[in-house]
């Protein structure tokens, strides 16, 4: 991955030793640089974190809460939460949208090899959540294809739920992408429905951040073991 040159006070001083003006210049540049850094950090944080847990979420000793935030252009967050109760080894999934919360699933879980394995109370299905620092990644929802260690790259990634949906996203070297979502038999008269979106992307550490040309809200892709996923949660501290 390419490294961007950072602004260093020492370099500025060497370049700007002009009697009296150097102090003013350092103050102006320093203030602008740090203000921009704070703004970028706040914007990045807003894409993956909410401001507070809803009242319906469990809290207290032995409770681990994780969240997945989708932020639209009007800053209206849709948040998926998953809560693990280490006291009785149970979990609960909650959706918060437009200040209304609802329970999506709940059941029991176990911890194996740094992973949380949940068992749904209703469907009896298991899901594996891999722990990666402060993040949980749903292993069954990783896209096929591997991400090279580059800022921009050429590659196609696919995720499919048989008989339901197939998502294909192609990243280009020029920083653009094209995504196609094919929903099987979801259209009228039992016809498949296809939705194509385009836009730009940039890589920031373990994230691939996208901006759609139609300004639709998007969730950043998380890179885990050189694969991408948009099914992940961040620990709420």
């Amino acid at each position: 991955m390419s490294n961007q040159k950072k602004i260093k006070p020492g370099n500025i001083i060497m370049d700007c030793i002009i009697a009296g003006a150097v102090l003013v210049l350092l103050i102006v540049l320093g203030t602008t640089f740090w203000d921009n850094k704070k703004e970028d950090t706040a914007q990045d944080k807003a894409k993956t974190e909410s401001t507070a847990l809803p009242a319906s979420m469990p809290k207290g000793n032995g409770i681990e809460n994780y969240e997945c935030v989708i932020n639209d252009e009007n800053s209206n967050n849709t948040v998926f939460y998953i809560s693990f109760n280490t006291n009785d080894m149970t979990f609960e999934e909650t959706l918060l949208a437009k200040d209304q919360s609802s329970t999506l699933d709940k059941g029991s879980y176990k911890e194996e090899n740094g992973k949380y394995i949940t068992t749904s109370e209703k469907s009896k299905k298991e899901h594996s959540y891999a722990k990666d620092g402060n993040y949980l990644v749903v292993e069954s929802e990783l896209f096929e294809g591997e991400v090279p260690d580059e800022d921009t790259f050429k590659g196609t990634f696919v995720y499919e739920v048989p008989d339901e949906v197939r998502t294909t996203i192609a990243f280009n070297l020029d920083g653009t992408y094209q995504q196609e979502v094919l929903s099987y038999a979801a259209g009228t008269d039992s016809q498949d429905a296809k939705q194509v979106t385009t836009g730009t992307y940039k890589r920031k550490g373990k994230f691939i951040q996208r901006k759609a040309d139609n300004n639709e809200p998007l969730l950043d892709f998380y890179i885990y073991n050189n694969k991408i996923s948009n099914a992940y949660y961040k620990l709420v501290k």
Side-chain angles (χ1 to χ4, degrees):
M1 191 186 302
S2 60
N3 294 322
Q4 293 181 345
K5 185 177 180 181
K6 296 182 179 179
I7 299 176
K8 296 182 180 180
N11 293 338
I12 298 175
I13 292 175
M14 292 299 294
D15 294 337
C16 304
I17 303 180
I18 303 175
V22 64
L23 182 59
V24 175
L25 182 59
L26 284 172
I27 293 173
V28 172
L29 289 179
T31 301
T32 302
F33 173 75
W34 287 111
D35 284 349
N36 289 338
K37 288 289 290 181
K38 290 178 181 178
E39 182 179 352
D40 289 343
T41 301
Q43 290 175 349
D44 293 341
K45 184 176 181 181
K47 293 181 179 180
T48 55
E49 299 180 11
S50 60
T51 54
L53 290 170
S56 59
M57 286 293 293
K59 306 174 184 67
N61 293 331
I63 304 295
E64 289 184 8
N65 289 311
Y66 292 80
E67 64 182 1
C68 175
V69 181
I70 302 176
N71 194 4
D72 67 16
E73 67 272 16
N74 297 316
S75 296
N76 295 318
N77 291 345
T78 297
V79 191
F80 294 89
Y81 293 98
I82 185 166
S83 176
F84 296 92
N85 188 330
T86 63
N87 300 305
D88 58 10
M89 301 302 288
T90 59
F91 81 95
E92 182 175 333
E93 292 184 39
T94 304
L95 170 65
L96 177 66
K98 297 183 178 179
D99 298 324
Q100 298 294 320
S101 62
S102 59
T103 300
L104 298 178
D105 197 7
K106 59 182 179 179
S108 61
Y109 80 96
K110 58 185 176 181
E111 189 171 0
E112 292 183 353
N113 301 319
K115 301 176 182 180
Y116 286 159
I117 312 297
T118 64
T119 302
S120 172
E121 187 178 274
K122 293 181 179 180
S123 68
K124 308 303 180 184
K125 292 183 178 180
E126 289 190 349
H127 287 286
S128 176
Y129 296 82
K131 299 185 73 173
D132 190 35
N134 289 327
Y135 289 87
L136 287 180
V137 181
V138 185
E139 289 192 300
S140 61
E141 298 189 29
L142 292 168
F143 281 61
E144 295 179 7
E146 292 197 359
V147 181
D149 189 19
E150 300 171 359
D151 287 336
T152 59
F153 50 90
K154 184 175 180 61
T156 301
F157 302 82
V158 180
Y159 172 70
E160 183 171 14
V161 179
D163 301 322
E164 292 186 21
V165 65
R166 176 185 175 91
T167 300
T168 303
I169 181 165
F171 294 102
N172 304 311
L173 285 171
D174 63 359
T176 61
Y177 76 88
Q178 178 173 306
Q179 177 175 285
E180 176 185 292
V181 179
L182 178 63
S183 299
Y184 301 122
T188 58
D189 300 325
S190 298
Q191 296 296 311
D192 294 344
K194 181 188 296 186
Q195 180 183 10
V196 177
T197 57
T198 58
T200 58
Y201 75 95
K202 61 181 179 179
R203 180 173 181 170
K204 281 199 171 184
K206 288 190 173 183
F207 293 93
I208 297 177
Q209 300 176 345
R210 293 173 296 154
K211 182 177 181 181
D213 291 334
N214 62 2
N215 291 321
E216 70 171 310
L218 296 171
L219 181 65
D220 297 339
F221 279 112
Y222 186 82
I223 302 172
Y224 175 71
N225 286 346
N226 297 323
K227 293 186 176 295
I228 63 172
S229 173
N230 52 13
Y232 61 89
Y233 298 80
K234 188 179 190 301
L235 180 65
V236 180
K237 295 182 178 180

